[in-house]
Amino acid sequence: MLNRRNFLTAAVGVAAAGTLAACAKEDKGSTGTSSGGSKAITLGFSQVGSESGWRSANTDSVKAAAKEAGYNLKFSDAQQKQENQISAIRSYIAQKVDVIAFSPVVVTGWDAVLKEAKAAKIPVVLTDRSVETSDQSLYVTLVGSDFTDEGRRAGKILEKVLAKAGVKGPVKIAQLEGTTGAAPAIERAKGFKEVMDADHKDDWKIVVSQTGDFTRAGGKQVMAAFLQSNPDINVLFAHNDDMAIGAIQSIEAAGKKPGKDILIVSIDGVKDGFVAMSEGKINAIVECNPLLGPQLMEVVKTVHDGGSVERWIKTKEGDFMQDQAKAALPTRKY
């Protein structure tokens, strides 16, 4: 398996317990010129939404990096709806942007619109999340993270959390999943289960698992239901910090102590997550760096100029493999 550092993204780390105690909204952007005086690259970017602190930081990174690069950014917020993203991508095709980038809401259902982009000779770059497609030449590359490895890291760090807390015997785990059908939800669950199946068949059990849609409100609501149906839960694995923070509210409302009565491991590393960790309410966080903007802009320039990039494509087994890909566009000069 590939280490996350091999991806076209910022390096990732693990923050462990004790170490750190409708319709899509489109922003047309601004048209300008590059520093060399040529016409600015026009990038159409469709974001998943604004469901979490991680996503907000990711959006800020993309916007800041596009401005720094002198690109004309056309930004769309899909509000976590695939139909909004497809509509935005088709709008970018009609506007004849130079490059399209998007962070897919879910992994499937993209073939038709990606074929339209290819027919229009507009290269597509995936950011943050992968897709499953019948023709992997429909996109150029992925700038993102290895979510399966994040799930494995969460499993491994839970071992340390349990040892530190002195927990022995059966562990009853509640899992707060991300958005149903989204790559991080699928792959983080897969990686965590790999660790369970390999090393903890007899002592770990996921007794309840449900989507919280990556939101605090979802985490709070679903955790309240978990505690009603399974009051003896002693571990929570949340697919992101925002759901964990929402769950903490329900745990406290039930008269239990988060981080003690229920040990919590989550993924992301947003500010509020680290605050909760410093308060002892989250025991460990696996970091997922949202600052993908600079790497994305480098890839956009390369594919716009007709260059080759490292290509990360998803195999049938769900792993990633490296290849080389040429941009769909010839070199453009203005």
Side-chain angles (χ1 to χ4, degrees):
M1 277 299 300
L2 298 172
N3 184 288
R4 290 188 60 210
R5 289 178 174 83
N6 296 121
F7 278 69
L8 294 168
T9 184
V12 73
V14 178
T19 60
L20 246 174
C23 291
K25 297 177 180 178
E26 185 172 339
D27 179 356
K28 298 296 184 181
S30 58
T31 304
T33 58
S34 66
S35 57
S38 60
K39 183 179 177 182
I41 294 172
T42 296
L43 169 65
F45 181 83
S46 178
Q47 181 62 282
V48 172
S50 54
E51 74 284 358
S52 64
W54 192 98
R55 188 64 54 193
S56 296
N58 179 244
T59 292
D60 290 345
S61 176
V62 169
K63 288 183 174 180
K67 183 177 180 180
E68 177 69 20
Y71 296 172
N72 176 23
L73 178 66
K74 296 180 180 293
F75 181 89
S76 176
D77 178 348
Q79 301 175 345
Q80 292 182 273
K81 295 180 180 179
Q82 184 179 33
E83 59 267 30
N84 289 347
Q85 279 198 309
I86 291 173
S87 177
I89 293 169
R90 285 183 170 140
S91 173
Y92 297 149
I93 294 170
Q95 294 175 61
K96 299 181 180 180
V97 301
D98 296 310
V99 180
I100 292 171
F102 75 108
S103 180
V105 176
V106 293
V107 296
T108 59
W110 302 104
D111 278 28
V113 73
L114 291 180
K115 286 177 182 177
E116 292 171 25
K118 185 174 182 179
K121 300 189 183 301
I122 301 175
V124 174
V125 177
L126 303 180
T127 70
D128 176 37
R129 301 177 176 186
S130 61
V131 299
E132 293 176 1
T133 176
S134 60
D135 180 1
Q136 294 192 333
S137 72
L138 296 177
Y139 66 92
V140 178
T141 192
L142 164 67
V143 180
S145 304
D146 187 336
F147 298 129
T148 304
D149 192 53
E150 290 173 358
R152 292 192 198 100
R153 289 170 181 260
K156 285 300 190 181
I157 209 165
L158 177 57
E159 294 174 338
K160 297 179 181 180
V161 168
L162 291 168
K164 183 177 180 180
V167 175
K168 297 180 181 179
V171 176
K172 296 185 177 180
I173 303 170
Q175 180 173 232
L176 276 170
E177 305 168 25
T179 303
T180 301
I186 295 168
E187 293 163 21
R188 286 171 180 169
K190 174 190 172 186
F192 188 82
K193 190 173 185 299
E194 284 180 9
V195 173
M196 283 185 56
D197 290 347
D199 304 321
H200 300 283
K201 284 185 177 179
D202 298 326
D203 58 330
W204 289 14
K205 183 179 180 181
I206 295 177
V207 296
V208 63
S209 183
Q210 186 175 323
T211 178
D213 213 23
F214 283 128
T215 67
R216 293 191 190 191
K220 180 180 179 180
Q221 179 180 357
V222 174
M223 191 65 196
F226 284 173
L227 291 169
Q228 287 288 325
S229 61
N230 295 272
D232 54 350
I233 292 165
N234 57 358
V235 169
L236 170 64
F237 169 42
H239 286 188
N240 80 341
D241 290 349
D242 281 80
M243 289 190 296
I245 292 166
I248 286 169
Q249 297 176 44
S250 291
I251 292 169
E252 291 177 331
K256 296 178 181 287
K257 293 183 178 180
K260 292 185 179 180
D261 297 328
I262 298 178
L263 304 176
I264 300 176
V265 172
S266 66
I267 299 175
D268 269 357
V270 300
K271 179 181 177 181
D272 288 351
F274 284 118
V275 170
M277 182 185 285
S278 71
E279 296 171 345
K281 296 180 179 182
I282 292 180
N283 301 89
I285 297 173
V286 176
E287 183 189 2
C288 180
N289 198 314
L291 307 182
L292 305 179
Q295 292 88 349
L296 174 60
M297 299 313 147
E298 290 176 11
V299 171
V300 166
K301 185 177 190 309
T302 299
V303 300
H304 174 265
D305 292 344
S308 296
V309 295
E310 288 182 330
R311 175 175 171 81
W312 297 102
I313 56 177
K314 199 174 181 183
T315 68
K316 291 182 180 179
E317 292 74 29
D319 297 336
F320 288 90
M321 63 176 288
Q322 185 180 15
D323 196 358
Q324 289 286 320
K326 279 282 187 182
L329 283 175
T331 302
R332 288 189 175 184
K333 294 182 180 179
Y334 296 101

